[in-house]
């Protein structure tokens, strides 16, 4: 894994280029504290977000934390409701083919992540990014077996997401630039 401020700069510039559409739909897989909070923050920032986990009982606590965040941060109840309405529980993963960026935030087990990527990859629309929120596993390891390994990037949100509006964009060894763009990370910096 290699952090690159040059790659981050390219990512930010591309996200603001004329003619490059910003991310409008984010799909997050994993509704634990990190995944749920990433999903909540993206919805807070105006994106439509589908949040996937194994079942609703795993998604419900994330939805409750989001409601608390919106009520606390957005004093106008209409704005809080609008943010809440943009966060859509999606245990079946129906948001995957619609998403501009899919963020994986599951347990730090390389084989579980690779298995998830293999199941997601055929469903991802052209031009969409697949991102992992891992902070400890190499992208080279996680990319193994993907048909389009260059599509997988690291996008590490810091914890707690709503209090640490900082995102680390990570690239793999040998990546020359990020080919896909999204305002998800850039918007999170504001």
């Amino acid at each position: 894994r290699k952090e690159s401020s040059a790659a981050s700069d390219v990512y930010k510039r591309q996200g603001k280029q004329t003619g490059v559409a910003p991310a409008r739909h984010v799909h997050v897989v994993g509704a634990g504290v990190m995944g749920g909070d990433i999903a909540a923050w993206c919805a807070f920032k105006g994106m439509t977000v589908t949040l996937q986990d194994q079942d609703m009982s795993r998604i419900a606590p994330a939805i409750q934390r989001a409601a608390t965040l919106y009520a606390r941060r957005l004093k106008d109840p209409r704005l809080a409701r609008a943010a809440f309405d943009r966060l859509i529980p999606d245990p079946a993963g129906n948001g995957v083919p619609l998403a501009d960026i899919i963020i994986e935030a599951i347990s730090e087990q390389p084989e579980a992540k690779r298995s998830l990527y293999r199941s997601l990859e055929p469903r991802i629309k052209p031009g969409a990014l697949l991102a992992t929120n891992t902070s400890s596993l190499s992208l080279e390891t996680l990319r193994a077996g993907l048909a389009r390994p260059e599509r997988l990037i690291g996008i590490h949100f810091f914890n707690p997401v709503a209090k640490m509006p900082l995102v680390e964009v990570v690239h793999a060894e040998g990546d020359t630039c990020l080919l896909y763009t999204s305002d998800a990370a850039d918007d999170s910096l504001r």
Side-chain angles (χ1 to χ4, degrees), residues 138-154:
S138 77
L139 287 177
E140 292 86 354
T141 298
L142 297 177
R143 284 178 167 180
L146 287 176
R148 301 232 3 242
E150 74 280 1
R151 177 190 294 248
L152 179 66
I153 65 163

Side-chain angles (χ1 to χ4, degrees), residues 43 47 70 74 76-87:
M47 290 168 262
Y70 304 151
L74 299 167
D76 182 336
R78 291 171 296 171
L79 294 176
R81 183 72 217 181
F84 191 76
D85 287 347
R86 287 189 296 270
L87 180 57

